[in-house]
Amino acid sequence: MLKRGFVSTLFSLAMGALLTAPAFVPAQAASDKKDKQHNDAFVAGNVDETEIAKHVRHELLMLPYYGIFDDLAFNVEGSTVTLMGAVVDPVLKDDAGRVVKKVQGVTNVVNNIEVLPVSPMDNQIRHAEYHAIYGDPSISTRYGFRALPSIHIIVKNGHVTLEGVVANQADKNLIGIRANGVPNTFQVTNNLIVEEQK
């Protein structure tokens, strides 16, 4: 009994240290997130965002098959919209290009959205990551009960990338810990943006 209590205490101390420590973000990932050219559709835009950007974001968010295993992003330069990100279903890529072409003021659409490879192992990892992250009540109550949850899980060949926005650094760290605990995952890149640091 004493042994179980000792192990439990050590685990609690280790988790506390991990949650309060700053998350390691590779320099490349940090610079990518500061890149103004990559606007995630599910991340609210700036107040000075153009009308075209607002309409593009709205159209992408309204796509019926857009879910947490997809990342749709865009860049607007004049009347040209470049679509980026990665999706599980090729139909979503085509639909994204189609709806953005209809936005008033858009004259050209460059569709650079990547279609993720079909892989039973990646599908298994997606569902395991979903349960690891959104199965935690402290995460699901804050981020899961929305039409489109703010934490997206992108899986390609066993590599996981987390995209989206969280309220604070502790949540980002906790979600990273949950994601790293999933078996058969080669690497987790935590690109979550902390709202208070935006």
Side-chain angles (χ1 to χ4, degrees), residues 125 129 158-160 179-180 182-188:
I125 292 171
E129 289 286 355
H159 296 268
V160 176
N180 275 295
V182 170
N184 302 319
T185 300
F186 296 127
Q187 176 187 12
V188 174

Side-chain angles (χ1 to χ4, degrees), residues 7-141:
V7 171
S8 176
T9 302
L10 280 178
F11 179 77
S12 297
L13 289 172
M15 289 301 291
L18 284 171
L19 289 176
T20 56
F24 173 74
V25 179
Q28 181 62 39
S31 66
D32 288 348
K33 286 288 103 183
K34 291 179 182 172
D35 183 3
K36 300 287 186 198
Q37 305 303 315
H38 183 96
N39 301 301
D40 286 310
F42 57 90
V43 176
N46 296 326
V47 290
D48 59 346
E49 187 173 58
T50 66
E51 285 301 311
I52 289 178
K54 288 177 186 174
H55 290 296
V56 167
R57 175 174 280 107
H58 174 76
E59 291 298 330
L60 292 175
L61 288 175
M62 296 306 291
L63 289 169
Y65 303 116
Y66 183 24
I68 64 166
F69 301 128
D70 304 304
D71 176 29
L72 290 179
F74 64 93
N75 175 36
V76 178
E77 288 184 17
S79 62
T80 298
V81 177
T82 303
L83 297 174
M84 298 165 272
V87 297
V88 176
D89 188 345
V91 172
L92 182 57
K93 173 181 178 170
D94 296 339
D95 284 352
R98 182 180 47 76
V99 297
V100 169
K101 282 179 186 172
K102 294 180 181 178
V103 171
Q104 186 174 8
V106 173
T107 58
N108 187 33
V109 175
V110 179
N111 194 339
N112 290 336
I113 297 170
E114 176 185 6
V115 177
L116 296 166
V118 175
S119 164
M121 180 60 77
D122 281 356
N123 279 340
Q124 187 178 26
I125 292 171
R126 283 182 189 102
H127 294 288
E129 289 286 355
Y130 174 83
H131 289 295
I133 294 170
Y134 286 106
D136 183 324
S138 64
I139 297 170
S140 64
T141 54

